[in-house]
Amino acid sequence: MRLIFLGAPGAGKGTMASAVSAAEGIAHISTGDLFRKHLTDKTELGILAEGYMSAGKLVPDDVTVGMVRVRLQEEDAKAGFIFDGFPRTLAQAEALDAMLAELDLKLDAVIDLAVPETELFRRITTRRVCRQCGQIYNVETMPSKVAGICDLCGGELMQRADDNAETLRARLDVYYDQTEPLIEYYRKQGLLQSFDNMNKEGSDVDQIVDLVQKSKRV
Ligand code: ADP
Ligand code: ZN
């Protein structure tokens, strides 16, 4: 399966994508996670991305597309993949279409996770992430068993530097301006599926796995 998860920051793309990736045995490709990994490793790319990320702005398209091109060649992506946080601009979507055409691959579906804005603010400000493995928690709706400690790896939970109300406002403005037009782009390609992700984060995993399986091309 080859999927894209669209949605505003806090819509639950990361949570849903990791659940679907585990259920389907396909690669979870999160450009946000890739940038954060580069930043932790202090690579040139990571240092470049940091300024954009902390301001809630997008990393330039050529940098992002180049990183995705490399990631897509990795072994685990041969079984299929879910893009989470990519593409985020029309130029990225067009670059992806060209990349897939070159590899003779087609997308199965683009799933748009819809969540009202007030809920996005609530989710983002209560979100926590494992410093070590990246697992996502929420102090209100999906707490870890022991406060501050990851259930999976024992790593320390932290709040992302850009998960505050002020940066979220900037990220949302960028989303409406640059990313929302992709809904129409993929609707025209006949790939769009909408998913109401308003229930508690994590509780709709079975439903989304179901939706994903139904969108499989034959
Ligand atoms: P969220 O969807 O919760 O806002 P992500 O983890 O997907 O967060 O992204 C965090 C930041 O990483 C973005 O605000 C942006 O600076 C950068 N980023 C991630 N994906 C992309 C992309 N496809 N294009 C440009 N910048 C990106
Ligand atoms: Zn962990």
Side-chain angles (χ1 to χ4, degrees):
M1 301 253 351
R2 289 176 289 272
L3 304 166
I4 293 174
F5 278 15
L6 281 181
K13 300 186 296 290
T15 306
M16 288 305 194
S18 64
V20 173
S21 128
E24 294 287 309
I26 57 182
H28 175 189
I29 304 180
S30 156
T31 42
D33 286 350
L34 290 172
F35 285 131
R36 280 186 288 277
K37 174 83 170 55
H38 274 281
L39 184 57
T40 307
D41 296 345
K42 300 212 159 41
T43 70
E44 215 176 299
L45 178 64
I47 291 159
L48 170 83
E50 184 180 20
Y52 295 99
M53 293 174 79
S54 59
K57 295 186 177 150
L58 295 183
V59 178
D61 287 335
D62 55 338
V63 177
T64 306
V65 169
M67 179 177 75
V68 168
R69 190 185 300 279
V70 171
R71 179 63 185 86
L72 212 46
Q73 316 286 332
E74 283 173 34
E75 193 53 37
D76 65 336
K78 296 216 164 77
F81 52 77
I82 306 174
F83 280 122
D84 154 15
F86 179 89
R88 250 174 158 95
T89 65
L90 272 174
Q92 290 180 14
E94 284 161 6
L96 176 63
D97 278 347
M99 228 185 283
L100 293 175
E102 240 171 70
L103 298 165
D104 203 18
L105 298 175
K106 285 202 163 69
L107 293 169
D108 292 278
V110 176
I111 298 176
D112 178 47
L113 301 178
V115 172
E117 203 177 289
T118 47
E119 175 69 6
L120 299 174
F121 272 90
R122 201 185 60 74
R123 287 186 189 179
I124 288 283
T125 48
T126 51
R127 170 158 77 179
R128 298 292 181 274
V129 200
C130 173
R131 202 179 279 285
Q132 226 159 275
C133 75
Q135 176 70 19
I136 302 163
Y137 296 89
N138 184 290
V139 290
E140 285 175 1
T141 55
M142 282 196 305
S144 55
K145 292 201 184 82
V146 180
I149 306 288
C150 177
D151 293 348
L152 302 184
C153 76
E156 185 197 349
L157 303 190
M158 55 145 194
Q159 190 162 20
R160 266 170 47 180
D162 58 350
D163 275 356
N164 56 72
E166 194 190 332
T167 312
L168 178 59
R169 185 69 260 161
R171 284 155 67 200
L172 277 174
D173 291 344
V174 169
Y175 170 77
Y176 294 129
D177 188 44
Q178 314 243 37
T179 310
E180 214 178 29
L182 295 184
I183 294 178
E184 214 33 56
Y185 180 85
Y186 287 116
R187 197 196 309 276
K188 279 188 189 140
Q189 293 194 11
L191 290 170
L192 192 78
Q193 306 258 12
S194 291
F195 187 81
D196 174 6
N197 202 25
M198 193 31 214
N199 285 355
K200 254 173 40 165
E201 261 182 89
S203 61
D204 286 345
V205 168
D206 292 344
Q207 270 170 274
I208 208 156
V209 168
D210 212 49
L211 175 68
V212 159
Q213 282 166 347
K214 284 193 194 119
S215 351
K216 211 172 269 188
R217 279 170 188 268
V218 267

